[in-house]
Amino acid sequence: MYRTVVNRILLTKNTGGGRRCLLRFPDLRTAVSSSRFSTTTEPQTFPNRPLNPADSSTSSSSTSFQTSSAAGDIPRQERKNPRAEYQGEQARVLQASLRHVLRLGWSEEAMIAGAKEVGISPSIVGSFPRKEAALVEFFMDDCLQRLIDRIDSGEELQDLIPSQCIYKLVRFRLEMQAPYISKWPQALSIQAHPLNVSTSFKQRAMLVDEIWHAAGDEASDLDWYVKRTVLGGIYSTTEIYMLTDSSPEFRDTWLFLDNRVKDAFDLKKTIQEVFSPSIPFPLFF
Amino acid sequence: MALRLVTKTLSSRISPKLCSASLLHSHATSFGFKEVREEEKSQMVGKVFSNVASNYDLMNDFMSGGLHRLWKDRLVSKLSPFPGMKHLDVAGGTGDVAFRILESVNSIKRRALQDPLNDDLQEETRIYVCDINPNMLDVGKNRALEKGLGEDKSLVWVQGDAEALSFEDNSMDGYTIAFGIRNVTHIEKVLSEAYRVLKRGGRFLCLELSHVDIPVFKELYDFYSFSVIPRLGEIVAGDRESYQYLVESIRRFPPQEKFASMIADAGFQKVEYENLVGGVVAIHSGLKI
């Protein structure tokens, strides 16, 4: 939601296919994401180091974001922003924990195994506010970032009609979950937990918004909500269908998705025709 | 329960620098509301705890209405113990926190563990209970025997000074101090020792009686502290002085924000505190990275 507004303002000058600056995302993510990686600053550890003005834009929560996408940058980030070290370490632990999820589920055990792999005491798991939820949310954010990267680098998306673009993007996003599909029901139940619902809702809203924006959506009125709700519905139903799909490479799921997207667009056309000015109003009754 | 994060800007460091030094000095020379010499404080505190040791748990139940059990439960759940953990509980004389951690670790084991590697780790769990006062440790050891944990090699009772621990650097996964840091002479030494013994990723947790700010509740709490508790101490334990010291030392201890900044000064990151019962008790936590 925030992205579309900001990007409309900022991208009017930039070329359409250019890689969007990562610096903007962390600030928006800080606004949208909960206080999970909130701005605790402990300047006491390095009192003599002057505050680098460039650091103010890379807020502390950005380190975790960039750490997961650019592993080679970790030392540079930590030198520049030593205060954010613990967030970087937490991100590393979560990244390592993902490799244990298939074996141990989205659980504390996976996070403990991840911490041991990285060489940090498993006590750090206690510092995550909602433990398993932190792992699931990290994964969702990671997937969203990969989707954004794909959108940015994919020129051909602009040539597709909206329904095909949406199909491609939803499919791409759901394929990221394919490796974890055996444990995905657990992730869904964690996301549905009352404590975690608000964060997972925000993440899904951002995801849906992202996809619509890539499909070239220009609406800003009531239509905006309708579109996102419909796409949210398509995404969720496909996700759940995928859980019980045993066809090779989830062929049935993609067929299901294709049909749902077609249904939604057909419905939209129907509604437009019904309310179009070509039919005189009194003829309704 | 309100969770608050500590934020400090560069500018606010300069002015409190002068008064933080005096605050620490005043803690080191205060015995409740009395002024004493630094060297004497440790001895006087020692006497207090030797006196109260035998009735310690009973008095805790009376004074807090049994709530101290819930506070300790909350402390241990925040810690998230795991099998194979090396934990240090400082000033944990009678073993309340240590027993809870042990129970938590053992119950994790009893739950269907998916990771077969952890079966061996269960043997490696070590909880060190460190206290400067041998009387308190004796009470703790007896309680362990009563609970059937006398032969459990996970529990290790150590006599030692929180300001100069005998443990190696980077050896502990967790460090807790429950209702103990108020009684030390030099808070900052305890904090830096805690930082020293913790591993990377280790957590520091401190449960302590703290300051109440809520208007009406504050007055009620003050009345309860100064009128009811010393009287209760007199009746139940026959020792008014020690309990007078107790309530006075709570007032002299730095408030939540100040203590949080002291923890950050020691090198900990992600310093947070959580008030329980409106500030009567606060759990401070820090992460070593």
Side-chain angles (χ1 to χ4, degrees), chain A residues 187-201:
Chain A
L188 285 178
S189 76
I190 290 171
Q191 289 187 316
H193 196 273
L195 286 173
N196 308 323
V197 152
S198 60
T199 316
S200 60
F201 181 76

Side-chain angles (χ1 to χ4, degrees), chain A residues 7 25 76 97 128:
Chain A
N7 287 331
F25 290 135
R76 188 165 56 83
S97 307
F128 292 108

Side-chain angles (χ1 to χ4, degrees), chain A residues 122-141:
Chain A
S123 286
I124 198 172
V125 171
S127 71
F128 292 108
R130 283 160 297 120
K131 303 191 196 103
E132 303 91 35
L135 186 58
V136 175
E137 283 157 21
F138 174 82
F139 177 70
M140 295 285 282
D141 284 336

